[in-house]
Amino acid sequence: MGYSSSSFNPPWIHDVFINFRGKDTRQSFVSHLDAALTNAGINTYLDHQLHKGTELGPELLRAIQGSRISILVFSKNYTESSWCLNELQKVIECHITHGQLVIPVFYDVDPSVVRHQKGDFGKALRATAKLHSPKLLIWRSALTQAANLSGWDVTKCRSEFELMQQIVEDVLAKIDSTFLSITEFPVGLEPRVEKVTAFIENQQKKVCVIGIWGMGGSGKTTTAKAIYNRIHLKFTDRSFLENVREVCEKENRGIIIHLQQQLLSDILKTKTKIHSIALGTTKIEKRFRGKKALVVLDDVATFEQLKSLCGNPKFFGPGSILIVTTRDVRLLNLFKVDYVCRMEEMDEHESLELFSWHAFRQPSPMKDFHKLSENVVAYCGGLPVALEVLGSYLYERTKQEWKSVISKLERIPNDQVQEKLRISYDGLKDDMSKDIFLDICCFFIGKNRADVTEILNGCGLYANIGITVLVERSLVKIEKNNKLGMHDLIRDMGREIVRESSTKDPGKRSRLWFREDVHDILTKHTGTETVEGLVLKVERNSKVVLSTDSFKEMKKLRLLQLDHAVLVGDYRFLSKELRWIHWKGFSFNYIPDEFDQGNLVSIDVKYSSIKQVWKETKLLDNLKILNVSHSRYLKNTPDFSKLPNLEKLIVKDCPNLSEVHHSIGDLKNLLLLNLKDCTSLSNLPRKVYQLASVKTLILSGCSKIDKLEEDIGQMEYLTTLIANDTSIKDVPYSILRLKSIGYISLCGYEGLSRDVFPSLIWSWMSPTRNSLPRVSPFEGNSLSLVSLDVTSNNMGYQPPMLRNLSKLRSVWIQCSSVIQLTQELRNFLDDLYDVSFTKFETASHPSQISNISLRPLLIGMRSCHVVINTLSKSISQGSTTNDCSGFCLPDSNYPSWLAYTCEGPSVYFQVPEDNDRHMKGTILCVVYSSTSEN
């Protein structure tokens, strides 16, 4: 496994670049490997040229830089080629600089020979380097680095065919988006995965239930993900439910319903609504009956969770696999699993390797740090999370700093894992980073990183750099959807630090999260000025009434969460330092007037009873986030004129919302507008489309909205537009002006803009395209588009009534031959302009062509030069009289004649003077080309 860093994510042109010595392997191994990769749908780049030079051309350099993965095929005579060595040098540069993946294959040479350049292999290298003396050290370094990477040795495989299949699977595993992300350094993972998958292969005729058991931080989830990645492509029906225990503990029993819905959605590929846990269990057993499925339940804490999500494995079809990870082996015994994979501590060798990857970014310690590394590894006791955290903490530190850390470690008992992890916390350089860490430990695990950053920045903690430092120190993880994550042991370590800071009096702690402590403090009014953050989560059906008097002394309170609690009294008692208030299930009709909090950064009152947010909006200069989602009684949004810096407005699932206040146009910093499932909302204020700052606009489920204004073209920074399940029938033309748009889901079109836009344009050009020889009828005066297909029509073009073509603006003509296309185009133009262009040749009187009115015409064509020839010849032959409008086209009419060519949205040219003929206009013929690169 190699270490790589990525400074940016380049656009990939190819999936795989293959580097090899042509004389050794071109006609054999490489040819077969290329075929195997291509047959698997993998886009490869193979240099088919026989090279004698040494300089790599620009095309080849682009191919190497633009490949996601490079496969290096080392053979006996590899180092005889300076070309191969220069390619290798460039591949390793891209690996180090851009994080591109490299897979070495040792064809008929031992990896150690390549690593150390021994024997004939090394002699050939030195001989080649004599002609390029400065290159020897560079090439040697590249060979060593490549040989140190995890790869394939042909001599250790039963057959080349089997090896190629393994390489294809390896490549697919690295590029397939369905694969789960696992640890960057999977030391010791392979043997465990092999044992489990070997057992599974012998259970193909039955439902196989696997248990993975171990303490927190021992690698259960990583092992489950690796097993999933190894086998999931064999299953059409599959689901991986991560962090079951954490998800269930966050809220109440109802959260299990969400997991049941996710499981059903993953397996059935459709959204399913569940109203009770029992109903969900029944539906899972009924709908999964007989299905061959792969289901992983990660970190299960109770038997109830197992029963709710996978009640009876016997209902699954033969060949199904259920994997459960847990800290409690009793659950696995009750569930009667077929195989238990126990997560043992890592041995000394694995521990040292894993630690070295984090501390030195290589598989073994640096020379002068070997003994020190062994001391740290012994202290960690084979616990992966401790090895990772301490390794990251010691990365790039001096020898003296290492000794200081080890001396401190020796004073802490080996069995106190939390204390081991605390060393990384103590190593944080400033109190702000520590405060950020403790805030995340107590309040923000699972929250969106961007939102937390805004809130903590509002507290003066410089969270942009602070969170980055915590991620670098392995104290915080950034998980799916940009959520903040943290290992349980690290979380517990942080919370223990908070507890220790205030002896035995919870009321004097800086942060309060333990429900019993918080309830006791609020009911007895024992909170003090030291309290900075407080969380109280009440069961939805429980009624807990608290007094605002409880907060009188908490004058430094900046973070407050009161889910489903009722707070009565004078709201002026709440601290003026509040930056974040999370009040799920807020029970009043509106936020009280005395709740005047000018420092608030985020207000989250989802699932509330509010009918309006405020009776009279207060000036909230600092408010960045307002979330009133799932407020079923809310009828209108607030006046936004006093929320000048709002960046996120989330109003999901408010079924009675019928009006968005026109002052939304004042929100010049708004980035996100989410109105999903507001089913009573029939239109948006016109000013919404003037919000240039908005990056994400979500209108899905707003079933009464039937139109997007052309003004949407003014939303110049819009990157995501999602408007499914609305009444919108037409996509506005101005959407093509949105230069930043990246993803669209609208009117049946869904995907990246580069994929959607061509389909949109084609639909506008030819909405009635079909297999008929021509489109009919042509009634009405509003016709602007027509599609003609005469490929199967021996009768030729049948002209429609000329009067009905007066509004025509675009046409698509498709013919089976050049002769047919020429004739059909001439006939069409004759009918379109109510005069035969061929008659231009003999026109002797101005009246014969006085009715010509050449309107703008967009012609979709496959043989552009034929159209240009026909149009040019017809028009130029008709321009012989002085009374006719002047026409000018070059003599030769193939694309090479074009006088003005460019890339981009515009072209500049000079219109020639024509004093004799008094030119009244011009005809502009545009030939454009679109490729995957452009």
Side-chain angles (χ1 to χ4, degrees), residues 688-708:
V688 165
Y689 302 103
Q690 299 171 12
L691 295 173
S693 60
V694 170
K695 292 184 177 181
T696 302
L697 176 60
I698 302 175
L699 301 173
S700 293
C702 296
S703 53
K704 289 188 177 181
I705 292 182
D706 59 4
K707 184 180 182 182
L708 286 179

Side-chain angles (χ1 to χ4, degrees), residues 435-506:
D435 282 335
I436 292 170
F437 172 71
L438 296 178
D439 282 343
I440 294 173
C441 283
C442 300
F443 309 119
F444 295 126
I445 294 175
K447 304 293 186 185
N448 180 272
R449 177 181 182 173
D451 293 350
V452 175
T453 299
E454 289 285 6
I455 293 163
L456 297 183
N457 280 344
C459 297
L461 293 178
Y462 300 99
N464 299 79
I465 183 61
I467 293 177
T468 299
V469 169
L470 296 177
V471 171
E472 291 173 349
R473 299 292 174 87
S474 297
L475 287 168
V476 171
K477 297 177 182 178
I478 307 302
E479 298 180 335
K480 187 179 180 181
N481 296 330
N482 206 33
K483 299 295 178 64
L484 295 176
M486 186 177 292
H487 191 280
D488 292 350
L489 295 176
I490 299 175
R491 177 205 63 198
D492 294 343
M493 176 267 293
R495 293 182 176 182
E496 189 60 32
I497 291 171
V498 175
R499 289 192 187 100
E500 291 176 355
S501 65
S502 61
T503 62
K504 296 182 179 181
D505 185 357

Side-chain angles (χ1 to χ4, degrees), residues 315-342:
F315 286 106
F316 286 80
S320 293
I321 298 172
L322 308 182
I323 300 174
V324 179
T325 78
T326 182
R327 302 182 185 193
D328 188 356
V329 72
R330 183 175 60 89
L331 297 181
L332 302 179
N333 295 334
L334 290 171
F335 206 52
K336 297 181 180 180
V337 301
D338 301 302
Y339 181 92
V340 176
C341 173
R342 180 176 179 179

Side-chain angles (χ1 to χ4, degrees), residues 889-906:
L889 288 173
D891 294 335
S892 177
N893 295 308
Y894 286 88
S896 58
W897 61 254
L898 289 172
Y900 308 102
T901 61
C902 72
E903 291 185 5
S906 59

Side-chain angles (χ1 to χ4, degrees), residues 75 128 237 265 295 337 395 429 525 613 660 781-782 788 863 876:
S75 53
T128 305
D237 304 316
S265 175
V295 176
V337 301
Y395 176 57
K429 294 181 179 178
H525 301 194
V613 183
V660 175
N781 294 323
S782 60
L788 305 176
S863 302
S876 60

Side-chain angles (χ1 to χ4, degrees), residues 664-916:
I664 194 170
D666 297 334
L667 300 179
K668 303 305 180 184
N669 298 312
L670 193 66
L671 303 175
L672 167 66
L673 177 57
N674 188 344
L675 296 167
K676 182 180 179 182
D677 293 330
C678 292
T679 51
S680 295
L681 188 64
S682 58
N683 59 69
L684 298 176
R686 196 70 176 253
K687 289 188 175 181
V688 165
Y689 302 103
Q690 299 171 12
L691 295 173
S693 60
V694 170
K695 292 184 177 181
T696 302
L697 176 60
I698 302 175
L699 301 173
S700 293
C702 296
S703 53
K704 289 188 177 181
I705 292 182
D706 59 4
K707 184 180 182 182
L708 286 179
E709 301 289 347
E710 287 289 338
D711 293 350
I712 197 172
Q714 299 178 50
M715 304 179 80
E716 56 184 289
Y717 292 108
L718 190 66
T719 59
T720 302
L721 173 61
I722 303 176
N724 301 318
D725 303 318
T726 66
S727 296
I728 299 171
K729 298 295 189 296
D730 300 313
V731 181
Y733 290 90
S734 62
I735 202 169
L736 297 181
R737 294 202 299 269
L738 297 174
K739 297 179 182 179
S740 299
I741 195 75
Y743 179 82
I744 297 174
S745 184
L746 175 67
C747 294
Y749 297 93
E750 182 175 0
L752 299 177
S753 59
R754 65 169 182 263
D755 301 320
V756 169
F757 278 0
S759 299
L760 275 176
I761 295 170
W762 175 231
S763 72
W764 291 333
M765 285 181 60
S766 183
T768 55
R769 121 189 186 197
N770 52 45
S771 59
L772 296 175
R774 59 187 176 89
V775 178
S776 62
F778 286 86
E779 277 73 51
N781 294 323
S782 60
L783 183 65
S784 62
L785 309 171
V786 64
S787 173
L788 305 176
D789 186 348
V790 293
T791 55
S792 59
N793 181 16
N794 296 324
M795 298 175 62
Y797 169 71
Q798 302 295 318
M801 297 177 63
L802 297 178
R803 62 181 176 82
N804 293 321
L805 296 183
S806 61
K807 299 291 186 180
L808 193 62
R809 287 295 178 269
S810 65
V811 61
W812 177 273
I813 302 179
Q814 185 173 339
C815 298
S816 58
S817 68
V818 171
I819 295 175
Q820 188 182 24
L821 177 61
T822 303
Q823 183 59 42
E824 300 306 334
L825 180 64
R826 278 181 174 271
N827 291 337
F828 180 79
L829 292 174
D830 287 349
D831 291 331
L832 177 65
Y833 294 112
D834 199 13
V835 65
S836 172
F837 279 113
T838 57
K839 294 179 181 178
F840 281 175
E841 302 173 15
T842 58
S844 58
H845 195 277
S847 63
Q848 289 181 268
I849 52 175
S850 60
N851 292 326
I852 295 178
S853 175
L854 291 178
R855 297 178 302 280
L857 179 66
L858 174 62
I859 304 179
M861 53 201 173
R862 295 191 181 278
S863 302
C864 62
H865 65 279
V866 176
V867 177
I868 293 170
N869 276 335
T870 302
L871 185 63
S872 170
K873 184 176 180 181
S874 297
I875 295 177
S876 60
Q877 287 175 343
S879 62
T880 55
T881 69
N882 291 335
D883 294 325
C884 176
S885 299
F887 305 94
C888 178
L889 288 173
D891 294 335
S892 177
N893 295 308
Y894 286 88
S896 58
W897 61 254
L898 289 172
Y900 308 102
T901 61
C902 72
E903 291 185 5
S906 59
V907 62
Y908 302 93
F909 58 92
Q910 183 175 354
V911 178
E913 294 182 2
D914 195 343
N915 295 325
D916 295 332

Side-chain angles (χ1 to χ4, degrees), residues 339-356:
Y339 181 92
V340 176
C341 173
R342 180 176 179 179
M343 305 301 298
E344 304 282 355
E345 290 83 9
M346 302 181 77
D347 62 33
E348 292 180 7
H349 175 74
E350 290 176 340
S351 295
L352 185 60
E353 182 179 356
L354 179 60
F355 174 79
S356 296

